[in-house]
Each structure stands twice: as C-alpha cells, then as structure tokens.
Amino acid sequence: MAAKTEAGNPIIETIKTVVYAILIAGVFRTLFFQPFWIPSGSMKDTLLIGDFLFVNKMAYGYSYASCPTVKMPRFGIDIDAEDICGFIKGDNNRILGGDPERGDVVVFRHPVSGADFIKRLIGLPGDEIQMKDSVLYINGEAVGLEDGGQFEEIFTAQGPEGLYPRCENGPVGEGALCTKSRQIETLPGGVQHDILNITRQASDQTPIYTVPEGHYFFMGDNRDNSTDSRVPQAIGGVGFVPYENIVGRADRIMFSSAGRSMLFFWTWRSDRFFKRID
C-alpha cells in the first residue's frame, strides 16, 4: 500500500514562496540591475520625467553603493545601502572594478545625502573642468557644439511630484508651449549628446575645477536645471563624486510614462520603450 503524502500548510508554503521571491529579487538587484525612475528634468532631453530604466551594476564592479536601498515610508521601511554594506565604505575601491568612460550616463550616491542621482560623466580624475559663457571647457579646450534646434514640451505638471518645466520663452500658462534651446555637444573621445539651455545663470560661468584622483565630475544635460558637480557640496551641490559612490551605468530606457502614475496608460510614451541611452 502506497504511503500517503501529507500536504504542507498552505499558509506556510505561501510565506516561504514570498520570502524566496524577495531573496531572489534582492540578489538580482544587488548584483546585476537596479530599477530607477527619472524623478526630475535635469537630464532632458536624454531622459524625461517618468522614464523607467535598469541601472547596469556590472559595468563598473561593486562597492557599498551597489547594495540596495529600500524606502517604503508607508510601511515604516527605511533601509539604506550603508545599513547593509557600510562596513566596506571608505576605501574608495570596487570589487571587479571597471573605469567609467567620459560621456556615460551614471547613477551615483550623493557624497553627503546618500540620495541617488543620475547625470552624465564629464570629468575624469585629473581633468580641469570649467564653464565659460555657457560653454564647457575640458582641459582648456572648448567642447564641440552644433545647433540642435528647439526642444519643445507642454507647460504642465510632470510626473508623480507634479513638477513644472522651466521655459526659455518666458513664463507661459498652463498647457502652453514651453521651449528651450538645444545644442549637440561633442565630448573628447567623440561621445555626442543633446544639451538644453534656458537662460544665463551662475552655473554657466565657473572657476576651473581640477578633478581629484579617485573622483569624477558629473553634469546634467539640461544645463540650467541641474544640481551637479558645478556646485560644491558645501553650498548644497554635488561636487566631486568618489569612485565608490557610483552605482552603475544607465544603458536603456525600458518604459516611459508622462503621467502621475504608470497606470495611466493614455500617458505612456511608446516611442521611448527600449530606447538606447546615448
């Protein structure tokens, strides 16, 4: 007579399944890719508010910043990467480390606040970086610039935070056309990308910044609407970013929504699905 197999407790089995799924997702996120939503317009028009992408953590190897940060205030969950991997922070090294390249779009942890930022890598260790009359100079040479026409968008609240864009064509009303000047910038090494300009401001005219060894200099493509390395950390900016603070490289947009929720399917930008990031 065959032995009778006892069925497991369905509640226990469900809990085990959920725990295993969380563990697998945690390992996947820690070692390979981290999801990232674009919350602000600092990287327009390369990245728009509401773009969703996966950050490639394998591109530059692993550091304490590679550990996941999980913040769910509604459930009282606030786990930072330093809470998990802070014991390896401070040596400014990486495991299986690779060197970022000028022009890469990179996610990194702010050196002071620990918040995740996404910007373009402009300055490598030892470089001299300066803005003069809205033109970027690297090691004393102006980058190449070509006219890229106008960037146009509707002046309306964007994304979950309801942010309004800044417009070069002055204050405009709700639903009106908001424009910015667009140029195509060519960095040393040949990487080309769009940049936007809105007005003349302090960040268009800077001193010379010499990037320290083991650090990097980042800027947003939406040059007049970006908090980045042009502003020192002491006065609320990003300053120089240590090598160990880099999370990974952004390679491709997977999904994009212009609305306040990804569930608003009528606001999906299907032309941006699986779009390569240059």
Side-chain angles (χ1 to χ4, degrees):
M1 184 174 180
K4 185 177 181 180
T5 303
E6 292 187 8
N9 186 311
I11 296 177
I12 298 298
E13 292 302 314
T14 299
I15 292 174
K16 286 167 61 176
T17 300
V18 172
V19 170
Y20 291 153
I22 292 173
L23 289 174
I24 292 171
V27 170
F28 182 85
R29 179 172 176 177
T30 299
L31 295 181
F32 303 111
F33 298 96
Q34 175 175 317
F36 192 86
W37 282 97
I38 303 302
S40 73
S42 68
M43 282 294 292
K44 291 178 181 177
D45 62 353
T46 303
L47 298 172
L48 303 180
I49 294 176
D51 283 348
F52 175 77
L53 48 90
F54 283 103
V55 179
N56 181 358
K57 291 188 173 185
M58 298 177 286
Y60 312 128
Y62 304 94
S63 71
Y64 87 96
S66 303
C67 285
T69 293
V70 182
K71 294 183 182 293
M72 302 174 66
R74 182 180 300 179
F75 302 101
I77 298 175
D78 186 2
I79 303 173
D80 188 79
E82 284 195 46
D83 297 331
I84 305 171
C85 298
F87 65 96
I88 60 174
K89 180 184 178 182
D91 60 2
N92 205 25
N93 286 318
R94 308 182 73 84
I95 301 170
L96 304 175
D99 293 328
E101 297 182 4
R102 194 192 317 275
D104 287 355
V105 176
V106 176
V107 172
F108 59 88
R109 282 174 60 89
H110 189 286
V112 177
S113 70
D116 285 340
F117 276 54
I118 184 164
K119 307 289 180 184
R120 190 176 297 276
L121 176 53
I122 298 297
L124 304 174
D127 281 344
E128 292 185 344
I129 307 296
Q130 185 178 23
M131 291 292 294
K132 292 195 293 185
D133 299 323
S134 301
V135 177
L136 172 63
Y137 284 73
I138 300 178
N139 296 322
E141 298 290 331
V143 298
L145 288 173
E146 304 172 44
D147 180 53
Q150 280 194 330
F151 172 74
E152 299 179 346
E153 58 186 337
I154 301 300
F155 186 78
T156 189
Q158 299 179 351
E161 297 180 15
L163 301 177
Y164 281 85
R166 293 177 61 198
C167 311
E168 186 178 26
N169 55 327
V172 298
E174 182 78 29
L177 191 65
C178 173
T179 66
K180 301 172 181 62
S181 296
R182 176 165 50 197
Q183 294 175 297
I184 302 169
E185 184 175 81
T186 303
L187 300 174
V191 173
Q192 289 189 322
H193 60 99
D194 291 349
I195 60 170
L196 303 182
N197 287 289
I198 303 169
T199 186
R200 289 294 183 94
Q201 57 189 45
S203 56
D204 293 324
Q205 196 82 27
T206 72
I208 296 174
Y209 295 108
T210 302
V211 185
E213 190 65 31
H215 291 71
Y216 295 88
F217 192 100
F218 292 93
M219 293 174 62
D221 291 349
N222 190 1
R223 290 287 162 81
D224 295 331
N225 197 43
S226 173
T227 300
D228 50 41
S229 293
R230 289 172 291 177
V231 180
Q233 298 164 14
I235 53 176
V238 171
F240 304 120
V241 177
Y243 182 45
E244 67 176 351
N245 279 46
I246 291 175
V247 175
R249 185 181 65 213
D251 293 326
R252 192 173 296 273
I253 299 164
M254 304 304 294
F255 172 83
S256 185
S257 172
R260 303 200 67 166
S261 169
M262 64 177 293
L263 300 178
F264 297 168
F265 64 87
W266 58 91
T267 66
W268 292 357
R269 306 182 184 106
S270 58
D271 60 321
R272 298 183 67 79
F273 290 9
F274 310 110
K275 181 178 179 181
R276 178 176 172 175
I277 298 172
D278 295 315

